[in-house]
Amino acid sequence: MTDAVVHLQALNKTYQVGVERVAALDGVDLLIQEREMVAIMGASGSGKSTLLNILGCLDRPTSGSYHLNGNDVGAFSDNRLSDTRGRYIGFIFQSYNLLPQLTAAQNVELPLRYNPRGFDRKQAVKEALARVGLTDRANHRPNQLSGGQQQRVGIARALVGRPSLLLADEPTGNLDSRSTEEIITLIQDLNSQDGMTIAMVTHENEVASATKRIVTLRDGKILSDEPIQQRRFSGSGDLADPAMSGVSL
């Protein structure tokens, strides 16, 4: 499919643990189309992290195929995998992963140092920080920012290279309820307004309900893959049905 950003077929990943071989992923078939927003859920050990690592070109499958933007990632050299991460994939982490000695602007600029495409770095950083509402925090270091602001810097860093796929690993796991609302609303807007394709690992049902589709893993297999009626966070800290709140998606 020409509009599939992610296409996995019969994907397997096994690890050698002592004398045993453990299947972290077992025959996974998955399509993520352009502009989709997908939650990946499952209990600990279900294969969520392994799947995210493969989607992010941080790990290779044992067998099966992964096509990213129509390209067979399995055929890539290590150098091309690294290039692909820099060009096409943005990462949002639970623990933010900001360098403490750098300002917000310098943290956002980091991916552009490894992106071979020509960018006006100063302008790209300015636009990314503006997109997440942190123009006035550009020269602040992480210890001068709240948790929610640090995660916004992390999101700006993920956006600055204009990736085709945004991967979020428990992006609200370290945040309070108010910051969670702000971050999930921002991620929803990146999908609905900016057209970004997003895959988000979460264990929180409320966060998953903010996406458009939930893929549930169990023992390395896809247990279910269902579209849902996307919902948005209300000011009360609960999820509100857009039909009831008047929010247009």
Side-chain angles (χ1 to χ4, degrees):
M1 296 183 182
T2 57
D3 57 350
V5 175
V6 167
H7 188 186
L8 308 181
Q9 287 184 297
L11 198 79
N12 296 286
K13 180 65 180 182
T14 59
Y15 295 99
Q16 192 73 36
V17 182
V19 297
E20 295 185 26
R21 291 181 65 81
V22 177
L25 295 174
D26 187 3
V28 171
D29 296 318
L30 180 66
L31 276 173
I32 300 177
Q33 306 288 358
E34 188 176 3
R35 302 179 69 96
E36 276 201 285
M37 184 176 178
V38 179
I40 300 171
M41 302 191 75
S44 178
S46 62
K48 302 188 305 296
S49 295
T50 300
L51 178 58
L52 204 69
N53 285 340
I54 290 175
L55 293 179
C57 296
L58 296 168
D59 199 0
R60 296 178 182 269
T62 304
S63 62
S65 66
Y66 172 23
H67 286 78
L68 177 66
N69 298 321
N71 297 305
D72 184 0
V73 173
F76 289 0
S77 65
D78 288 344
N79 285 340
R80 190 171 178 190
L81 280 177
S82 179
D83 177 67
T84 297
R85 287 193 297 272
R87 283 178 179 265
Y88 303 115
I89 302 171
F91 296 90
I92 303 173
F93 304 98
Q94 176 177 343
S95 55
Y96 323 135
N97 287 5
L98 303 179
L99 296 182
Q101 70 273 25
L102 300 184
T103 65
Q106 290 168 335
N107 269 286
V108 172
E109 183 188 3
L110 278 176
L112 299 183
R113 297 176 181 270
Y114 307 98
N115 192 324
R117 289 180 290 177
F119 278 94
D120 180 335
R121 291 186 186 177
K122 185 176 180 180
Q123 183 61 27
V125 170
K126 181 179 178 180
E127 290 174 359
L129 284 171
R131 183 64 187 86
V132 302
L134 286 181
T135 298
D136 60 343
R137 296 291 188 270
N139 294 317
H140 288 62
R141 288 184 168 79
N143 66 0
Q144 298 172 306
L145 301 172
S146 68
Q149 289 171 334
Q150 289 184 62
Q151 188 58 291
R152 284 176 178 267
V153 174
I155 293 173
R157 179 184 56 196
L159 298 177
V160 73
R162 300 169 192 162
S164 56
L165 177 63
L166 191 62
L167 300 176
D169 187 7
E170 300 280 5
T172 62
N174 288 345
L175 301 177
D176 59 28
S177 59
R178 180 176 178 179
S179 295
T180 293
E181 292 174 16
E182 294 173 352
I183 292 302
I184 293 303
T185 298
L186 173 59
I187 291 174
Q188 286 183 312
D189 288 344
L190 292 173
N191 173 250
S192 62
Q193 298 176 13
D194 297 33
M196 297 207 67
T197 306
I198 300 171
M200 177 170 59
V201 165
T202 182
H203 67 276
E204 300 178 65
N205 289 327
E206 288 187 335
V207 171
S209 296
T211 68
K212 299 175 180 177
R213 175 178 161 205
I214 299 177
V215 175
T216 304
L217 298 176
R218 178 185 291 175
D219 298 330
K221 298 177 181 289
I222 292 182
L223 178 66
S224 63
D225 183 349
E226 300 290 343
I228 62 170
Q229 177 64 45
Q230 187 182 42
R231 303 175 70 170
R232 291 186 67 102
F233 282 94
S234 70
S236 65
D238 298 321
L239 281 168
D241 189 315
M244 299 298 293
S245 65
V247 176
S248 176
L249 296 178

